[in-house]
Amino acid sequence: MSTLKEYLVQKREAGLKLQEHYEKHPESAVEPIKARVKAKGRSGVREIRIRDFQIISDSPENFAGYSLGPTSPEIQLGVLGSCLTHITLIQASLLQISIDSLEVEITGIQNHLAGKEGFEDVPIYPHNIRYKLFIQSEESPETIAKLHEEVEKVCPILNLLKNPQQIEGEVIHTNQSSEKIRA
């Protein structure tokens, strides 16, 4: 049976090799990423496609959904947890910190009255987001604190949420009836 400690050895080797590659070829360190989402007919289920993977997002039954998958805000919390977990493993491997087990719990609040009359000051987005890293390790508390400091410094999704950026959007509008006329 493979343990997390054994995995961290593999992770360190892969991380050092990748870091060396990026230092030799900095142009390869820039990686465009993309996700595409399509609303499915009759159900409104959102089909999220990322590379060769698919995730389904849906609303609960009380909001015209079928509860076939998590909501977008729930997925966002999951994405943060996944990134924190991955970055903790990376940093533990690079710092040669032994971890027996790792789990992350993310919580937040979504107020469905946000933005409505009387609730104008309530954020319309998930807020009061908190996370807990549950780390089982024989390392000292100081070592684990150093690990946490490094994780917070380099976790991409944590830092995206803490330091939001400008997002540009555009609408590509087609009219089915006018397309049919041209055909």
Side-chain angles (χ1 to χ4, degrees):
M1 176 198 294
S2 184
T3 67
L4 196 52
K5 288 179 183 179
E6 292 167 344
Y7 173 74
L8 290 176
V9 171
Q10 276 183 283
K11 193 72 163 172
R12 177 176 170 73
E13 291 170 10
L16 292 173
K17 186 176 179 181
L18 194 57
Q19 184 177 343
E20 181 182 325
H21 172 78
Y22 288 149
E23 288 170 0
K24 288 181 181 175
H25 308 281
E27 71 284 354
S28 69
V30 178
E31 176 186 11
I33 55 177
K34 175 173 100 172
R36 192 167 184 115
V37 182
K38 182 176 184 175
K40 302 303 271 184
R42 295 220 18 121
S43 69
V45 167
R46 278 82 62 205
E47 181 181 87
I48 304 166
R49 294 232 171 239
I50 302 168
R51 293 187 287 135
D52 294 331
F53 304 98
Q54 176 180 307
I55 303 167
I56 298 294
S57 177
D58 195 13
S59 302
E61 291 90 354
N62 67 354
F63 197 49
Y66 296 93
S67 230
L68 297 173
T71 65
S72 298
E74 291 169 327
I75 291 172
Q76 180 59 59
L77 294 186
V79 166
L80 174 58
S82 175
C83 197
L84 283 164
T85 302
H86 187 229
I87 297 303
T88 300
L89 293 171
I90 291 171
Q91 292 304 310
S93 73
L94 294 175
L95 297 169
Q96 296 183 298
I97 295 173
S98 177
I99 294 178
D100 296 310
S101 70
L102 170 64
E103 190 172 331
V104 179
E105 178 182 88
I106 314 291
T107 59
I109 294 173
Q110 174 112 30
N111 188 327
H112 298 287
L113 293 174
K116 307 274 190 264
E117 189 175 328
F119 297 87
E120 295 87 357
D121 294 335
V122 175
I124 61 169
Y125 46 84
H127 55 283
N128 292 345
I129 297 172
R130 291 175 165 66
Y131 73 88
K132 294 178 184 176
L133 287 174
F134 296 93
I135 299 174
Q136 184 178 356
S137 173
E138 296 171 1
E139 301 285 354
S140 71
E142 296 79 21
T143 299
I144 298 301
K146 173 67 175 158
L147 171 62
H148 184 230
E149 181 182 315
E150 290 302 310
V151 167
E152 287 212 329
K153 192 185 312 178
V154 300
C155 181
I157 300 302
L158 177 65
N159 283 287
L160 171 65
L161 294 171
K162 283 180 161 182
N163 308 297
Q165 62 176 303
Q166 191 69 26
I167 298 175
E168 296 180 26
E170 68 178 296
V171 174
I172 311 300
H173 178 203
T174 57
N175 184 319
Q176 288 182 342
S177 61
S178 64
E179 288 179 358
K180 290 179 181 175
I181 292 171
R182 288 187 220 140

